[in-house]
Structure formats: C-alpha cells, structure tokens
Amino acid sequence: MNTDFAHPGAIDPGAIEALLQARHGDPFSVLGPHGAGSERVVRTLQPGAQAVEAIDAQGRVLATLAPMADGLFAGAVPGEGRYRLRVRWPTAVQELDDAYAFGAVLAEHDLDLLAQGQHPQVYRQLGAHPHAIDGVGGVRFAVWAPNARRVSVVGDFNHWDGRRHPMRLRLPQGVWELFVPGLLPGARYKYEILGADFVVRQKADPAALAAEAPPATASVVASDAPFPWTDHAWMAERAARQRLDAPLSIYEFHAGSWWRDEQGRSPGWDVLADRLIPYLVGMGFTHLELLPIAEHPFGGSWGYQPLGQYAPTARFGPPEAFARFVDRCHEAGLGVIIDWVPAHFPTDAHGLAHFDGTALYEHADPREGFHQDWNTLIYNLGRNEVSGFLIGGALAWAERFHVDGLRVDAVASMLYRDYSRKHGEWVPNIHGGRENLESIAFLKRFNTVLHQRHPGVLTIAEESTAWPGVTRAPTEGGLGFDYKWNMGWMHDTLQYMSRDPIHRRWHHHEMTFSMVYAYSEHYVLPLSHDEVVHGKRSLLGRMPGDDWQRFANLRAYYGFMWAHPGKKLLFAGAELAQPTEWNHDAQLPWELLDDARHRGVQRLLRDLNRLLVEEPALHAWDGDPRGFRWAIGDDATNSVFAWLRFAEGARPALVVSNLTPTPLYDYRIGVPRDGPWRLAINTDAGDYGGSGVGQGEAPAEPVPVHGQPYSLALTLPPLATMIYLADRT
C-alpha cells in the first residue's frame, strides 16, 4: 500500500483501508472530486483495474490517475468542468462517468416527509429510478437503513462487489442514496449492507418497483415510461360503481392456478386476460379479487408472505404487463381488487428481517414482533418510517396500477396484542390493555390517506372478531374501511348447510343470526379460498346427502347468499361445484363442465349475478335496514326462511328457502303488493340440474298474513331457494 502523503490524492491510511475493506461509512468524503481549479483532486476505487485516466467529453486525457492502493487511484485533474473515467481492465477498456462526481439526490423536504411517515409518493423517492443529472443518464438509488455502517449498491454492473458503489448517508433521516450513471432499466441489483452488528448482508430493495422471478431474489430497475392508460371512462365512473348502493359480486382467484397451458405452466398477465376477462364478463361478476400479487419468495404462501410491497410478482410478467391486465379489465367493466398484507412479512435472508443489523421493520421483542401462527415477523407500525413505507405501498398500487380496491389481510391479528398468544407471551399496551394502539392508528391513517388521495378506491377488512366500527369513519372513532368480510355469516351458514337436513331444525338460528348485526357494519359475504383448503373440504364436499342432495344444497345456499344483504365474494372453482379442495399447484378442474350438474351450478351463478345487477331491491339498500324484512324467520320445523328485499323506487323481491328435501305445497307467505309475482330464480330448476318443482308465477291474493295485506300460496321445491319479483306496475 502506498501511504506517501506527498501523493496528490493522499488521504489517511485508515480511510484507504476502510474503502478497500468496504467499511467506510462516508465514501463521498474520499472519492470523487475534491478541491477546485488546479487543486482539484479526483479519487476513484476500481478494484481489479490496471490503470485509470480522467478524460474530457471528447475522450482527451486530462490526467492519468496514480495508483494509491489495490484499485484506488488518485490524481490532480485540471479544470472545473465535467470529467469522465477511462478504466483499463485486464481484458477491456471502459469509459464511464464517476458516480462520486454528483451531488445529493433527494431533496431535504422529501427526506423529512419520509422520516415523518407522511410522504404521499414513497415509491418515487425510495428504490431505483431512471434519472438524469446534468444530461447524464443513469439510475438513482435510495434506501432507508439508519443503523447501517455502510451500504453499497451491487449488481451485474459492478460484479456484485460492495466496494465499487458505496452510498451517501443522509442524516438525520438515515437514508442512503447514490446516482449510478450509465445504468438502464432492467439492471439487477441489491443493497450490500454492513450492519450495526458488523455482519454483511445482501438485501433486496424494500421499495423496488420490479424484481426477478423467484427463486431468484434480486431487485430490478423498472422503466419509468408512463403507461398509456385507456380506462378513462372507468376511472370517471368508478366511485359510483363501487358505492354502498351498487351491486358488487366479486370473483376471488389465484393467478397461478386458475388456468394452465398444456405444459402445466401458469400464463402471464396478457394470456390470462385473454381467457379470464371474457369469462368473468360472461358470468356477470362485477369485480375480480387477486390473492396477493406483491412479490413473495414462497409460492406456497399464495402471496400472503410478501417482501416486495411495491413490485407485482415477476411470475406473471413485468409491471407494465400487470398494468395492461388492469386496463383491459376496466375496458370490460370489471373492477380489480388486490389482497394487501401489512400485518407481517417472512424471515427470508434477502428480505426485511434485521435489515440494517437491527430490528428495523420488525419489533425487537419477539412477544411483539414474531407471529407464531405463520412464523413471520410483525411490522413495527409505531415507527413512522415503517408506517409510511406500508401506506406508500398502498398508494402506489392505486396510482401506478389503477387498482380499485385493497382487501387488507389479517386485520384481527393487527388489532390485538394477544392475538393467538398465551398469557405471558404478549406485551400490554401503554394502558395495560390488549389493544394494539399503534396498529389501530395505522389502519385509521391508511384508510384516511388512501381515500383522500384516491376517492372511490375501496378498502375491505378481513376482520374476524367483533371489533366495533371497522367500517365507521376515523373521525367518528372507526377504522375507516368501506367494507368488512362477514366472517360470522360465513361460519354460521356453512356450519348449518353442512348439517343433515333432519338436524337443521335445531340450528335454525345459524341462518338467521346474521340479521341481528347485519347493519352494524358494511359487509361482504365471503366464501373465500380459506374455506376450501387445509382439510375443510370444498363447498360441495361439505354438503350432506347423496349426489343429488349435495348439488341441491349447494345451489340453494348460493341462492340464499345472493339474496341476503351484503356484497358477494366467491372463490374460483366454487362456480364449478368443485368436489375437491383447491390446489394452488394445478389449474381449476374445468373438465367438470362436461357434467350437466356442474354446468347447472355455473349457470345458476351466472343468472344470480345478472339478477343482482338488474334488480335494485337485491343490492341498493344492502346497508340500510329498510331494505330487509323477515316474512318467515321462525319456521324451524320445516327449515324454511322467507324475507323481502326493498329499495327506493324499485319493485320488491321475495326470497324463500326450503332447506329440507321435502317439497311443501300451498305454503302461504305474506307480501306487500297485489298482482302477479314472477319467479326470477328457482335453484331447483331443471336448467340448473334440479327437479323442476315450483310454479313460474304466483298471484297475490287478498289474504293477510305475516303482517302483509296480501299473500302467495307457493309450492316450495326441495332443498331450494326461490326469488320472486313483484310485477313492475
């Protein structure tokens, strides 16, 4: 090592040693140009280089830099203007701009907003972005790692050598940044971090906008070219299409297992769009909901253990392909909801865990920071930067990809500090209680900010407890969600439908109890992926009886659900009456449609969706108690349920379910109008695979019953739900 302090680039030997060992925390204090005019000295670290020259824009040599140590070169470079470097490698000559000749990248006010967790566009600040400074193109990088001793950008462009591109630390915010000239979109990269614990780790970029397809783990520089959206009409109408008085029928699916080609490969977004969108439009669904598509290392998590909160998974193509998918959905009139996971993240070494050598994104105390059910880490939402990082990700999905809603996973696990923990395994809040005050504040702010910046975008909570005010505004003490999954309805009704009809009379309340609390929140009725995995059996598999009865039970249940107050959600495959549990490693069993019984269930759901959209009485007052009235809620002996649905200015609907295999004749039910009542849906119809029992039209007779001035004398088919509509006049 040359330690001659007469050398024009002489520096402290300790600084040289730190650079060579990739542990210098302030590389800009050593590398790049220092001084001015004839006193300007340039230093550059090019490990493995044989020689380095400073050249001007025309390639003329300004100075030959002298070697100071292995790969460290320095020399006086005359002038004030821009210079470049000509690096002579053993097998090549490279000309490049000096990354250390450029100033700070991020503005102070942006750094301050990031530190406060208040930046509205985190994805434009952190991460990797094509950029130009003084006419020089490249990529600017920024990452939050406040406790790191050194952070470098590494990638193919520098042979993954952490000595080559150490970053500048911006204090006090703890953000490391660097502009690397010459880089282009598509470059693979990671951050090499010398942690507070002196351990070197290579980490994927938490704010990367693109990533390699797993099992590879590098981040990818995404293009900054604006996407040519054509969904202007949809965006203008979106808020109205998604109001509480609008019909919502949501098709939940897993992009990797809906359909596969002959080689068993999952399609990319473009091919998926070709098949999925016409299918859903034909089926009458208003929205599709994707299981999480943020980048995740383990496919078997179905996306519920994400690490790339800002990057659509590369399994199905680049980010612009997902944007095309959303654009095409909107052109076809379909809303797009994505599952979003702010509750926890996996422990993979290349991810967020112990990111800068400390518990940065997670809690240090495992009683707060480790999720025992999923062996994952829990976000420290009391930290401004972590809260801002997650909310920034939600905003990015809405802004970059025009998604129409976020269904927030595992909200219950966020609300309670003792969730799935025994006594002594959790830490009380500052008041000694079990409520997670930091998560509550986070959810309120998430909903407030998202709704302010993107009016009309839905937020939906998967919340399985009786937490009050999930869909109440934060200004009124609520969490601020638009909808909550009605897990109680799902649990009770599925339990009832799984019982042998002979026993159902003793459990009548399981089908009626949901109306006791139906208007306490705004609800989505979910029959989701969670109900057809882990030994729970498929929906058809839960139905009792012989084959005919199982199909009849399932059809009756769908009719009951579609006519019940609340928005609808059905997991892919349920419309096929799939007999087996969902398998994420295979496509749906489309061959079932060769069987008339399965086609009948699919046809029923198509007709239910059509009726849901066409008849305001079935959706407009979902959130209004005036929209529902029991006609018969207490006939446990016959396992019959009957109710009326209403909406302002709309004809009423009468819904009747007979959930025994015995037909009932001349069964009288009160209605509010005279004239004919037309049968719109009979789940026992022959077209659906049923027996065809029942009449097509029923005249209202002036026989008062059930508090109504008129009544219908109906034939109730076995194991069936019927929906009658009053005459329009």
Side-chain angles (χ1 to χ4, degrees), residues 683-713:
T683 66
D684 188 52
D687 287 346
Y688 304 142
S691 62
V693 173
Q695 68 259 49
E697 186 176 282
E701 302 172 7
V703 179
V705 66
H706 304 134
Q708 301 291 349
Y710 306 96
S711 59
L712 309 177

Side-chain angles (χ1 to χ4, degrees), residues 340-341 343-344 374 407-415 462-463:
W340 185 59
V341 188
H344 61 127
W374 302 310
R407 176 268 195 186
V408 183
D409 181 61
V411 170
S413 77
M414 301 173 70
L415 293 174
E462 185 211 17
E463 202 287 303

Side-chain angles (χ1 to χ4, degrees), residues 168-485:
R168 172 193 285 114
L169 174 61
R170 302 292 298 275
L171 292 173
Q173 299 91 351
V175 173
W176 299 76
E177 62 173 22
L178 186 69
F179 173 67
V180 180
L183 276 189
L184 297 172
R188 301 189 310 148
Y189 73 97
K190 285 185 180 180
Y191 297 117
E192 184 177 282
I193 300 173
L194 174 61
D197 54 0
F198 293 96
V199 175
V200 176
R201 300 170 175 86
Q202 283 195 359
K203 295 286 191 178
D205 187 349
L209 301 182
E212 287 187 291
T217 58
S219 301
V220 175
V221 177
S223 170
D224 64 344
F227 184 79
W229 292 98
T230 63
D231 63 348
H232 315 297
W234 168 273
M235 296 296 280
E237 299 170 357
R238 177 170 68 183
R241 285 174 176 259
Q242 301 190 153
R243 291 186 319 213
L244 185 59
D245 62 356
L248 262 66
S249 180
I250 304 167
Y251 187 81
E252 184 195 36
F253 78 107
H254 176 252
S257 62
W258 189 77
W259 173 83
R260 296 191 172 189
D261 65 19
E262 293 180 355
Q263 287 72 44
R265 296 171 302 194
S266 299
W269 291 117
D270 293 318
V271 175
L272 184 62
D274 291 340
R275 289 178 171 268
L276 178 71
I277 293 173
Y279 177 75
L280 294 185
V281 170
M283 286 294 295
F285 287 96
T286 65
H287 288 69
L288 58 89
E289 180 176 324
L290 288 149
L291 270 59
I293 58 163
E295 194 58 84
H296 52 282
F298 177 46
S301 76
W302 314 329
Y304 288 101
Q305 294 189 10
L307 283 175
Q309 287 283 6
Y310 290 72
T313 178
R315 290 169 173 86
F316 312 115
E320 55 269 26
F322 178 62
R324 281 195 302 272
F325 175 81
V326 175
D327 201 41
R328 291 179 62 183
C329 286
H330 288 171
E331 288 178 351
L334 284 169
V336 178
I337 299 167
I338 62 170
D339 280 12
W340 185 59
V341 188
H344 61 127
F345 60 91
T347 60
D348 297 65
H350 70 281
L352 302 178
H354 224 61
F355 189 77
D356 63 357
T358 69
L360 186 65
Y361 285 89
E362 69 271 32
H363 295 270
D365 188 334
R367 295 176 298 169
E368 295 182 280
F370 187 75
H371 204 299
Q372 300 176 5
D373 288 355
W374 302 310
N375 293 321
T376 52
L377 297 172
I378 298 170
Y379 285 104
N380 183 355
L381 296 175
R383 196 163 202 162
N384 289 339
E385 295 92 341
V386 175
S387 172
F389 166 78
L390 287 169
I391 292 174
L395 294 172
W397 288 106
E399 183 169 326
R400 292 182 66 214
F401 298 110
H402 288 197
V403 300
D404 305 297
L406 280 79
R407 176 268 195 186
V408 183
D409 181 61
V411 170
S413 77
M414 301 173 70
L415 293 174
Y416 302 96
R417 286 177 162 265
D418 63 346
Y419 181 88
S420 196
R421 294 181 186 271
K422 300 175 184 177
H423 179 72
E425 295 179 346
W426 58 282
V427 179
N429 62 33
I430 58 173
H431 305 299
R434 60 194 288 256
E435 298 80 10
N436 192 319
L437 304 180
E438 295 80 8
S439 290
I440 295 166
F442 165 80
L443 292 170
K444 289 181 177 182
R445 195 162 75 83
F446 151 71
N447 281 305
T448 299
V449 172
L450 184 64
H451 288 136
Q452 286 176 346
R453 292 191 63 84
H454 298 283
V457 171
L458 296 178
T459 61
I460 305 168
E462 185 211 17
E463 202 287 303
S464 56
T465 75
W467 187 275
V470 172
T471 57
R472 193 182 309 140
T475 54
E476 299 173 2
L479 297 181
F481 287 92
D482 294 291
Y483 292 101
K484 168 181 170 172
W485 274 18

